[in-house]
């Protein structure tokens, strides 16, 4: 089940990834603030039937969820009323900040975006807002993984721009001690073309020894949105 702690009309993000399925980033921000009160989120979650079949409560959003200053409070208070594990999907841009690390430590599963092996490729693929540096992200991941005891995976989006760097990205993941990766290519409509299954199969081999989930092997789960429009904001309808 997805929770969006931003819930704004337009995406708010620290990146403007070329493949973003929800369209261009018009609201760039690196400032953490409260977008939706913890109470409002808890009220919706409390309305779920106690026996609803949910594997993870996943905090992602119409943009970057660590921008929500109350992220840690949201996780802590959801845990008081639901028994499910909590996942956070982040683009890793603020992972070098200690306040963000403290918030993320509360979650059971962290998915970290990692699409590049160096500053120049990072700038081309993720198009970060000024001040966000690839080197700081790498340092932040190193520091966070040393403290974090839960499940952690890198989420890597592969497109034509970073395909030939996939081996280097895998080497960095190994150096960082990563045990699990999700290898994605954009199958929903966006500005980048997806890589083919044979191309992804080659890339998978670079990550040998890790737990690998590849988008082409993923089982499609049919889920019912609580709010169709809000779900479309996060998943996109192919706006570009
Ligand atoms: S893909 Fe995620 S991180 Fe990249 S611009 Fe879109 S919302 Fe932001």
């Amino acid at each position: 089940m997805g929770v969006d702690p931003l819930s704004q009309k337009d995406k708010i993000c620290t990146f403007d990834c070329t493949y973003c399925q929800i369209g261009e980033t018009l609201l760039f921000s690196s400032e953490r603030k409260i977008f939706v009160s913890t109470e409002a989120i808890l009220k919706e979650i409390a309305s779920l039937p106690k026996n609803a079949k949910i594997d993870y409560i996943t905090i992602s959003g119409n943009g970057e969820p660590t921008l929500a200053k109350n992220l840690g409070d949201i996780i802590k208070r959801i845990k008081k009323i639901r028994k499910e594990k909590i996942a956070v999907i982040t683009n890793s841009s603020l992972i070098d900040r200690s306040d963000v690390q403290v918030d993320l430590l509360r979650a059971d599963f962290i998915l970290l975006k990692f699409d590049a092996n160096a500053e120049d490729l990072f700038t081309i693929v993720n198009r970060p807002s000024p001040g966000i540096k690839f080197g700081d992200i790498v340092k932040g991941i190193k520091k966070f993984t040393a403290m974090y005891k839960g499940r952690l995976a890198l989420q890597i989006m592969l497109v034509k721009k970073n395909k030939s760097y996939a081996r280097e990205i895998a080497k960095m993941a190994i150096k960082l001690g990563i045990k699990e990766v999700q290898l994605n290519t954009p199958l929903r409509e966006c500005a980048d073309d997806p890589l083919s299954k044979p191309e992804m199969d080659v890339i998978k081999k670079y990550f040998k020894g890790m737990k690998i989930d590849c988008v082409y092997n993923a089982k499609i789960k049919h889920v019912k949105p609580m709010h169709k429009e809000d779900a479309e904001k996060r998943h996109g309808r192919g706006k570009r």
Side-chain angles (χ1 to χ4, degrees):
M1 194 195 75
V3 173
D4 179 359
L6 307 173
S7 287
Q8 303 295 295
K9 188 172 156 281
D10 294 307
K11 171 180 66 166
I12 302 179
C13 201
T14 45
F15 287 177
D16 183 20
C17 305
T18 60
Y19 55 76
C20 185
Q21 63 197 10
I22 40 183
E24 194 182 340
T25 304
L26 300 173
L27 294 169
F28 260 123
S29 177
S30 311
E31 189 203 343
R32 298 192 84 200
K33 59 180 194 177
I34 294 180
F35 297 89
V36 186
S37 71
T38 308
E39 283 67 29
I41 289 174
L42 288 176
K43 196 175 160 205
E44 280 210 27
I45 290 180
S47 72
L48 288 167
K50 282 272 175 261
N51 58 355
K53 271 184 109 183
I54 296 167
D55 48 2
Y56 274 90
I57 293 178
T58 302
I59 302 178
S60 57
N62 190 18
E64 171 48 30
T66 60
L67 284 171
K69 207 176 174 180
N70 53 342
L71 179 64
D73 190 41
I74 293 169
I75 298 171
K76 183 176 88 181
R77 291 177 61 190
I78 292 177
K79 279 182 174 262
K80 285 191 181 153
I81 58 167
R82 296 293 308 187
K83 61 183 183 326
E84 292 86 3
K85 290 189 170 173
I86 298 188
V88 179
I89 303 179
T90 166
N91 67 12
S92 316
S93 56
L94 306 179
I95 188 85
D96 61 319
R97 287 181 55 154
S98 52
D99 55 335
V100 171
Q101 291 173 356
V102 167
D103 286 356
L104 292 177
L105 284 172
R106 292 184 183 276
D108 303 286
F109 185 16
I110 304 291
L111 290 124
L112 297 169
K113 183 183 288 300
F114 199 75
D115 299 337
N117 68 322
E119 198 75 49
D120 48 356
L121 183 64
F122 169 65
T123 306
I124 291 168
V125 178
N126 300 116
R127 300 190 294 193
S129 59
I132 295 182
K133 300 282 173 227
F134 182 71
D136 293 337
I137 290 177
V138 174
K139 276 188 217 147
I141 293 177
K142 233 186 235 169
K143 195 165 173 207
F144 182 72
T145 50
M147 296 187 280
Y148 185 59
K149 301 278 176 268
R151 183 178 169 196
L152 181 139
L154 293 190
Q155 236 183 15
I156 304 170
M157 185 63 90
L158 292 145
V159 290
K160 288 202 168 51
K161 297 177 187 81
N162 61 355
K163 179 190 149 186
S164 55
Y165 298 91
R167 195 191 287 270
E168 301 308 314
I169 296 172
K171 280 185 191 164
M172 287 199 82
I174 293 164
K175 246 181 155 175
L176 286 165
I178 300 298
K179 305 273 183 300
E180 181 172 347
V181 283
Q182 294 193 350
L183 301 180
N184 295 329
T185 194
L187 298 182
R188 292 195 180 111
E189 195 184 326
C190 72
D192 278 308
D193 292 327
L195 300 187
S196 66
K197 185 170 184 308
E199 286 175 306
M200 293 294 280
D201 286 343
V202 170
I203 290 169
K204 261 166 84 175
K205 292 189 184 134
Y206 305 150
F207 294 85
K208 205 174 151 206
M210 295 183 207
K211 180 182 184 299
I212 304 169
D213 282 320
C214 179
V215 66
Y216 280 114
N217 305 110
K219 279 189 200 140
I220 299 190
K221 286 185 191 167
H222 294 284
V223 292
K224 199 173 145 212
M226 284 176 77
H227 300 288
K228 193 165 173 280
E229 270 190 20
D230 285 353
E232 277 176 357
K233 260 195 252 163
R234 291 193 306 275
H235 300 155
R237 283 175 290 182
K239 288 179 182 170
R240 286 187 188 188

